[in-house]
Amino acid sequence: MAKTQKDDELVFLPLGGSNEIGMNFNLYGFGPAHDRKWIVVDLGVTFGDQTTPGVEVILPDPEYIEEYAHRILGIVLTHAHEDHIGAVAWLWPRLKAPVYATPFTAFILREKLREADLLDEVAITEVPLGGSIELGPFQLDLITLTHSIPEPNGLAIKTPLGTILHTGDWKIDPDPLLGDVTDAAAIRKLGDEGVLAMVCDSTNVFVDGHAGSEADVRIAMTNLIAGLKGKVAVACFASNVARMDSVIRAAEAAGRRVCLAGRSMHRMAAAAKSVGLMQDIQPFLDDTEAKHLPESKVLYLCTGSQGEPRAALARIADGTHPHVKLGSGDAVVFSSRVIPGNEIPIRNLQNKLTEGGVRLYTERDHPGIHVSGHPCRDELAEMYAWARPTIAVPTHGERRHLMEHAAFARDLQVPQQVTPRNGDMVRLAPGRAEIIDEVPSGRLFVDAGVLTPENGEALRERRHAAFNGMLAVSVVLDGRGKIASGPQVRALGLPTEDDDHLDEVLDELADEAEAAIKRLKGEEKELDDSIETAISRAVKKASQRIWGRRPVVETTVLRI
């Protein structure tokens, strides 16, 4: 490992994952500021909601680190959840650094890179569980943890100025069913050797106790499914392979065969089998086979637990799925939690299913059918007791989570706490931990397959139109600038009492547009831009008076 120089610094820079749950993008830098070497830990996405119409995927903006891409020694992935690996295919062309991942994560990533036509370009090094990676001044040792996906890893990042424990996502599950239990001995050993800082998951910091064990879920699911009649569908996160395995075995115990519904289910099942998981189960039914079995002999394992509009369960609820139909006497089990922000689509999905006569089972009425994959307060306390860091750096949470986590660490006698926002560069050593710089950070939106800035014009206009409606105004002028036809006004997304009232309102707006044209003088009448601006201002002002809104106004001027 490199020797330290007097101007060497060890820094942590979150560009995603602080101030939000999801979109993890963490940087660690070592060396003097003018020649700092970097590693990237995780490169994930988050998802759009009602505030981002038309945008489903949101990425962290790599603007700052892109300038120093030649100093990135590697991209290290802790596990295969979308909020940790989902941005790799989108952003790798800007970073072009080698990627390191364990076998299951590498399998999932290769599928994504294949879809992006990047598989032959990205160098992926598979690291065995418990393995190590040497990257310049960084030595990274993988520490086995438990989470809601196979092969979750913490990282012991060893540098000449101290060791950082980056937990990634984790919990303490004494019986995870798939994979090994948390390697507490390795974490205690790190604590004995000295942990400078722990960068730690904050998702469940407000929840007392323990998250619960996947083994308990298996028992609850087995008991529930055994008592259900008719067709049964279970919705869960496809990435939760242990949950998939529990549902499959519960179905088999009830004499049911499993049919996977949703591309993500097939992808995750293939990834699990590639690393030796789910080997002793019956082959999955295809859609055609499932149709010909008695209803009491089939269980559909579905994507769409969060109300995603194109997922399998949404299509089933809409009656548009080509193979799966559910109705009176059938059951749908939601073996997942409601992610904040998804309440409305989930409610709408569940209402559609209920209207069709389907019986619903959720964690609210059957608490044992889901447990979180993130640590609650007792587990956090246990991790701090093992690692004994000098500095607590909460991450993976909204601002209130980070502040509560820092207060909790203080109560646990951790000497220092720092709560950076995305873009805050934290110097961890030498000296006391502190924020020393703020760099550009933000989001990129995947809009119709195109990467656009967070505040791009297209989305601003779309939001404006979504909340305020739109007016289209067209007018034809002759060679002298006089009105030859129109103005004609068309309204989109604006309320009216009836067709007669609509006609009156549009006539009023047309009169305002005509008056605006006639008020123009001199060269203004000859410039289309001046005419369009005048019409837009007049129509918006009238709209404010009529509706109390200022809609998007699209004006077209034609000349003959």
Side-chain angles (χ1 to χ4, degrees):
M1 190 171 290
K3 294 181 179 179
T4 58
Q5 306 296 320
K6 65 178 181 179
D7 54 353
D8 280 342
E9 291 180 318
L10 174 60
V11 299
F12 169 64
L13 174 60
L15 293 178
S18 287
N19 299 329
E20 58 199 323
I21 297 175
M23 202 176 75
N24 291 271
F25 184 22
N26 304 289
L27 308 179
Y28 291 92
F30 185 88
H34 67 274
D35 190 30
R36 190 171 281 139
K37 299 298 187 293
W38 295 95
I39 59 171
V40 175
V41 176
D42 292 331
L43 190 50
V45 301
T46 189
F47 299 98
D49 55 25
Q50 62 269 25
T51 67
T52 58
V55 174
E56 293 187 4
V57 177
I58 300 173
L59 316 173
D61 190 339
E63 175 188 353
Y64 170 77
I65 196 60
E66 189 175 0
E67 181 180 350
Y68 306 107
H70 60 288
R71 298 188 201 159
I72 300 175
L73 305 178
I75 299 169
V76 183
L77 305 176
T78 61
H79 64 284
H81 272 142
E82 283 293 297
D83 59 336
H84 292 257
I85 72 167
V88 175
W90 289 102
L91 299 182
W92 185 87
R94 300 190 181 191
L95 306 179
K96 294 189 175 178
V99 178
Y100 298 83
T102 56
F104 179 87
T105 302
F107 183 100
I108 298 297
L109 180 61
R110 287 192 181 99
E111 292 299 305
K112 292 180 173 295
L113 294 173
R114 182 177 289 109
E115 292 176 358
D117 201 24
L118 287 173
L119 184 59
D120 294 333
E121 295 187 39
V122 181
I124 301 176
T125 299
E126 286 194 18
V127 185
L129 296 175
S132 297
I133 308 167
E134 292 278 355
L135 296 174
F138 302 95
Q139 177 183 318
L140 295 88
D141 296 334
L142 274 62
I143 298 176
T144 296
L145 301 175
T146 52
H147 185 42
S148 55
I149 196 169
E151 300 181 1
N153 299 278
L155 299 175
I157 305 172
K158 298 178 179 178
T159 78
L161 289 176
T163 296
I164 303 162
L165 175 57
H166 184 103
T167 67
D169 292 356
W170 63 281
K171 63 187 281 188
I172 299 174
D173 189 339
D175 193 359
L177 299 181
L178 297 182
D180 296 329
V181 297
T182 296
D183 192 349
I187 301 171
R188 289 193 190 99
K189 185 173 184 293
L190 284 176
D192 292 341
E193 295 169 351
V195 172
L196 173 66
M198 185 163 73
V199 178
C200 187
D201 183 354
S202 307
T203 308
N204 280 344
V205 70
F206 289 104
V207 182
D208 291 327
H210 290 78
S213 175
E214 192 63 36
D216 296 330
V217 175
R218 179 167 296 186
I219 294 171
M221 290 296 296
T222 300
N223 292 335
L224 175 60
I225 291 172
L228 298 179
K229 309 298 182 184
K231 286 176 283 189
V232 174
V234 177
C236 67
F237 295 110
S239 60
N240 194 337
V241 174
R243 187 68 46 80
M244 288 178 63
D245 190 77
S246 291
V247 172
I248 291 165
R249 296 182 191 282
E252 291 182 352
R256 294 177 182 267
R257 296 282 301 280
V258 174
C259 177
L260 301 181
R263 187 173 63 167
S264 296
M265 285 293 176
H266 289 277
R267 176 183 292 172
M268 285 295 174
K273 290 185 176 182
S274 76
V275 296
L277 303 175
M278 297 200 312
Q279 298 295 317
D280 56 341
I281 60 175
Q282 296 184 61
F284 297 121
L285 296 172
D286 63 31
D287 297 324
T288 304
E289 292 174 316
K291 280 184 176 180
H292 291 95
L293 283 182
E295 294 182 352
S296 62
K297 298 298 182 182
V298 177
L299 182 142
Y300 296 97
L301 190 47
C302 302
T303 57
S305 65
Q306 299 304 302
E308 303 95 317
R310 292 202 295 269
L313 192 58
R315 289 182 290 144
I316 292 170
D318 289 335
T320 59
H321 195 284
H323 305 290
V324 185
K325 308 295 180 186
L326 297 180
S328 182
D330 298 330
V332 172
V333 180
F334 285 81
S335 184
S336 60
R337 72 181 180 94
V338 176
I339 294 177
N342 291 342
E343 294 87 353
I344 292 175
I346 292 174
R347 183 188 66 199
N348 292 341
L349 170 66
Q350 292 179 346
N351 283 335
K352 286 180 183 178
L353 290 166
T354 303
E355 287 171 359
V358 176
R359 177 77 181 272
L360 304 183
Y361 298 85
T362 73
E363 65 168 339
R364 286 189 174 183
D365 48 76
H366 287 73
I369 63 176
H370 175 70
V371 293
S372 174
H374 298 271
C376 298
R377 289 176 79 89
D378 286 359
E379 291 156 286
L380 286 168
E382 200 163 354
M383 178 66 82
Y384 275 104
W386 294 341
R388 305 187 299 283
T390 300
I391 309 164
V393 187
T395 188
H396 203 311
E398 298 169 1
R399 193 67 189 160
R400 65 191 184 96
H401 293 85
L402 306 190
M403 299 304 292
E404 177 65 21
H405 188 153
F408 187 54
R410 188 179 305 114
D411 291 342
L412 295 173
Q413 307 305 307
V414 178
Q416 300 176 47
Q417 310 84 34
V418 61
T419 55
R421 292 178 169 86
N422 290 334
D424 286 347
M425 186 181 296
V426 180
R427 184 179 62 214
L428 298 173
R432 188 172 180 83
E434 62 178 333
I435 296 170
I436 59 171
D437 197 3
E438 182 180 354
V439 309
S441 65
R443 296 172 156 201
L444 297 175
F445 292 159
V446 181
D447 192 355
V450 177
L451 286 185
T452 63
E454 181 174 7
N455 295 311
E457 183 66 23
L459 187 59
R460 279 206 304 271
E461 288 185 349
R462 198 180 307 148
R463 283 179 177 141
H464 191 158
F467 287 102
N468 295 283
M470 179 176 176
L471 293 170
V473 184
S474 60
V475 63
V476 180
L477 304 180
D478 63 18
R480 295 174 297 174
K482 292 186 176 181
I483 297 172
S485 177
Q488 293 183 337
V489 183
R490 181 168 176 250
L492 297 172
L494 289 161
T496 57
E497 296 174 3
D498 51 40
D499 290 345
D500 290 339
H501 180 246
L502 175 61
D503 291 341
E504 292 176 7
V505 170
L506 296 184
D507 287 344
E508 182 178 349
L509 294 174
D511 290 342
E512 294 288 347
E514 182 176 351
I517 296 171
K518 291 180 177 179
R519 285 194 294 269
L520 295 175
K521 297 179 180 179
E523 292 184 357
E524 291 180 324
K525 288 186 176 182
E526 300 176 9
L527 300 174
D528 289 355
D529 287 347
S530 296
I531 296 170
E532 290 174 4
T533 300
I535 291 173
S536 178
R537 287 175 177 170
V539 170
K540 283 186 178 180
K541 185 176 181 180
S543 298
Q544 182 70 39
R545 183 180 71 250
I546 296 168
W547 288 294
R549 297 181 184 178
R550 296 178 67 82
V552 173
V553 178
E554 184 66 27
T555 303
T556 302
V557 177
L558 301 175
R559 292 186 181 268
I560 58 173

